[in-house]
């Protein structure tokens, strides 16, 4: 039996490097509630990412839910159907109405010209996703938000460490949300964060993630328990020591795929744009009509060879039962998202992925072209 190759797999530093953190925890008996590792990780991440303030969370979904509360978002929120389902779920958890608009075929991100058409008097915010870590058209989105008085919250779950024109992509919008789930480029087993521009907003978010406690006897809001524990924070500090190596290992794999797949007729790659420093978190390809097999046939072919390529994102969020009744979920209004969702396939990419597997994937794709 050969081993199944997942689409992603975490970089695990040597176990013995984690032991000193555990010893410190046993010594201090601080397990959660903003302990020393939590404090260190917030500062270390803000520094590494090049942002001003950062609030750690137990996961990215709670960070999204809390970000919407922190900015007191109401009514309708314009968002993308082409994302992980947690993006829209965070709206339902806040009693907000998602308004789906179509995406741009080059970036897979919200198409700014569609955003403007979807604005109504009830719209209070835009919730875009930097899909696969590719930055949204942040300038145009901010321009629209300024014109109409809307907040912008970026779901930046894919965007750890991504820079554009020398500056962090996380510095755009009112808030940005990160996920440190085990499947992401930087992980704390489970975890997440809100990136925010000022200390006052950070303070409010810190209350909201801790039941609304402002001090021992004062509760200022019906806050959630969104705190990251000390064990997750300690693992994050350890990961951070290895992140640059992990990113360069991913870059090597990205280049190996590009060199081989770029030549195959009917398959399309997403080009890297100038001024962009990516994190190589995903390797998406489009299986177009010109290819010998359908996307689902390629997916099955990979599975037969124990390679678990993934259809991120298929189905669209707007196709799930809790969303499909919304007027904006009409597939006729989302033609680009629908097409990309039917052609997309994300290939395995992670630091320890052996070159032979990359070559096997490329060989299978090459054979499929001839069918
Ligand atoms: C992973 C992910 C989330 C959810 O993050 P969790 O940490 O798993 O809760 C939200 N949005 C997007 C786009 C994601 O990829």
């Amino acid at each position: 039996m050969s081993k199944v190759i997942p689409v992603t797999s975490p970089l695990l530093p040597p176990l013995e490097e984690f032991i000193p953190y555990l010893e410190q925890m046993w010594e201090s008996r601080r397990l959660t509630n903003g302990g020393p590792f939590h404090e260190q990780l917030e500062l270390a991440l803000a520094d590494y990412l090049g942002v001003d303030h950062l609030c750690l969370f137990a996961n990215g979904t709670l960070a999204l839910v809390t970000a919407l509360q922190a900015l007191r978002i109401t009514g309708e929120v314009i968002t993308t159907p082409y994302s992980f389902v947690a993006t829209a779920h965070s709206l339902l958890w806040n009693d907000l109405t998602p308004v789906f608009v179509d995406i741009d075929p080059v970036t897979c991100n919200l198409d700014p010209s569609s955003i403007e058409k979807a604005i109504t008097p009830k719209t209070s915010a835009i919730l875009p996703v930097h899909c696969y870590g590719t930055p949204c058209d942040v300038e145009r989105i901010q321009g629209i938000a300024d014109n109409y008085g809307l907040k912008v919250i970026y779901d930046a779950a894919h965007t750890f460490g991504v820079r554009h024109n020398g500056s962090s992509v996380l510095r755009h919008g009112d808030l940005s949300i990160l996920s440190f789930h085990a499947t992401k480029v930087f992980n704390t087993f489970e975890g997440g964060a809100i990136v925010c521009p000022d200390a006052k907003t950070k303070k409010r978010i810190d209350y909201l993630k801790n039941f609304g406690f402002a001090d021992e006897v004062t509760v200022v809001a019906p806050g959630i328990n969104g705190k990251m524990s000390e064990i997750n924070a300690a693992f994050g500090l350890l990961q951070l020591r290895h992140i640059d190596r992990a990113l360069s290992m991913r870059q090597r794999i990205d280049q190996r795929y590009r060199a081989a797949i770029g030549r195959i007729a009917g398959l399309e790659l997403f080009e890297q744009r100038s001024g962009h420093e990516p994190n190589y978190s995903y390797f998406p390809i489009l299986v177009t009509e010109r290819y010998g097999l359908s996307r689902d046939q390629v997916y099955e072919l990979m599975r037969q060879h124990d390679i678990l390529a993934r259809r991120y994102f298929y189905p669209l969020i707007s196709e799930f039962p809790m969303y499909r009744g919304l007027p904006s979920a009409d597939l006729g209004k989302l033609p680009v998202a629908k097409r990309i969702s039917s052609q997309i396939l994300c290939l395995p990419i992670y630091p320890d992925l052996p070159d032979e597997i990359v070559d096997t994937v490329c060989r299978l794709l090459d054979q499929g072209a001839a069918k």
Side-chain angles (χ1 to χ4, degrees):
M1 263 297 275
S2 60
K3 202 161 126 271
V4 172
I5 302 297
V7 77
T8 184
S9 171
L11 179 83
L12 290 173
L15 186 55
E16 59 270 20
E17 287 187 27
F18 197 43
I19 305 296
Y21 292 91
L22 294 174
E23 284 169 348
Q24 243 177 284
M25 241 176 276
W26 259 243
E27 185 81 20
S28 72
R29 298 185 166 259
R30 299 282 301 274
L31 306 185
T32 185
N33 284 40
F37 290 132
H38 183 281
E39 197 173 324
Q40 281 175 49
L41 184 61
E42 282 197 343
L43 295 174
L45 281 175
D47 182 55
Y48 180 84
L49 296 169
V51 300
D52 295 322
H53 299 278
L54 187 140
C55 311
L56 292 175
F57 274 80
N59 59 62
T61 304
L62 283 169
L64 274 170
V65 168
T66 305
L68 292 158
Q69 289 170 4
L71 299 180
R72 300 181 172 86
I73 304 302
T74 58
E76 296 176 359
V77 177
I78 296 172
T79 191
T80 172
Y82 192 77
S83 179
F84 182 60
V85 73
T87 308
H89 279 0
S90 71
L91 298 172
L92 295 196
W93 275 93
N94 279 299
D95 250 332
L96 298 165
T97 306
V99 175
F100 298 110
V101 306
D102 209 1
I103 57 170
D104 176 288
V106 175
T107 61
C108 297
N109 292 329
L110 274 188
D111 176 355
S113 56
S114 311
I115 294 177
E116 200 148 7
K117 286 183 219 137
I119 295 173
T120 77
K122 288 191 188 144
T123 311
S124 66
I126 310 170
L127 176 60
V129 179
H130 301 296
C131 195
Y132 311 130
T134 305
C136 292
D137 189 341
V138 289
E139 270 90 31
R140 269 184 76 192
I141 291 175
Q142 195 58 54
I144 296 168
D146 291 343
N147 270 344
Y148 292 88
L150 309 177
K151 301 285 189 193
V152 183
I153 299 173
Y154 282 105
D155 181 338
H158 300 176
T159 322
F160 186 91
V162 174
R163 297 167 71 82
H164 191 65
N165 295 334
S167 152
S168 172
V169 172
L170 303 169
R171 298 183 70 89
H172 294 281
D174 294 278
L175 299 172
S176 289
I177 274 68
L178 290 164
S179 165
F180 307 145
H181 184 255
T183 54
K184 304 300 206 273
V185 161
F186 170 86
N187 90 85
T188 57
F189 285 46
E190 293 268 3
I194 299 180
V195 171
C196 68
D198 61 278
K200 187 159 168 260
T201 311
K202 171 163 169 55
K203 202 163 157 190
R204 177 166 161 77
I205 292 168
D206 284 343
Y207 296 162
L208 288 173
K209 78 172 190 195
N210 187 30
F211 312 98
F213 277 109
D215 63 42
E216 217 178 296
V217 292
T218 316
V219 174
V220 295
I224 196 93
N225 179 1
K227 305 187 302 297
M228 177 183 280
S229 83
E230 282 293 275
I231 200 152
N232 301 100
F235 189 74
L237 286 166
L238 176 56
Q239 282 273 347
L240 211 45
R241 285 161 44 186
H242 295 271
I243 187 71
D244 288 331
R245 184 168 57 92
L247 291 177
S248 61
M249 289 162 92
R250 285 176 173 276
Q251 179 178 20
R252 260 197 64 245
I253 295 163
D254 180 284
Q255 285 165 349
R256 200 173 180 90
Y257 272 137
R258 277 178 197 281
I261 300 172
R263 295 189 301 260
I264 302 176
L267 297 182
E268 280 176 19
L269 304 180
F270 292 88
E271 293 305 324
Q272 259 138 38
R273 298 185 302 164
S274 65
H276 183 44
E277 296 168 52
N279 63 7
Y280 312 99
S281 46
Y282 297 86
F283 198 89
I285 63 168
L286 293 177
V287 182
T288 72
E289 320 76 61
R290 291 176 286 110
Y291 188 71
L293 302 172
S294 73
R295 187 276 310 273
D296 287 343
Q297 285 172 322
V298 179
Y299 169 80
E300 287 302 334
L301 177 70
M302 295 284 167
R303 283 187 71 107
Q304 282 158 19
H305 290 80
D306 285 329
I307 293 162
L308 294 185
R310 296 294 300 268
R311 292 165 288 189
Y312 294 144
F313 291 98
Y314 165 84
L316 295 175
I317 299 178
S318 47
E319 293 180 277
F320 291 121
M322 63 298 296
Y323 299 105
R324 66 182 172 221
L326 291 168
S328 65
D330 177 359
L331 286 175
K333 294 181 197 152
L334 305 168
V336 179
K338 182 70 197 153
R339 173 176 67 79
I340 304 259
S341 169
S342 70
Q343 298 182 335
I344 197 79
L345 196 63
C346 286
L347 304 179
I349 186 166
Y350 51 90
D352 304 326
L353 182 66
D355 282 350
E356 307 86 81
I357 304 291
V358 176
D359 296 346
T360 302
V361 171
C362 296
R363 189 171 37 78
L364 290 172
L365 291 172
D366 204 32
Q367 288 166 2
K371 291 257 165 66

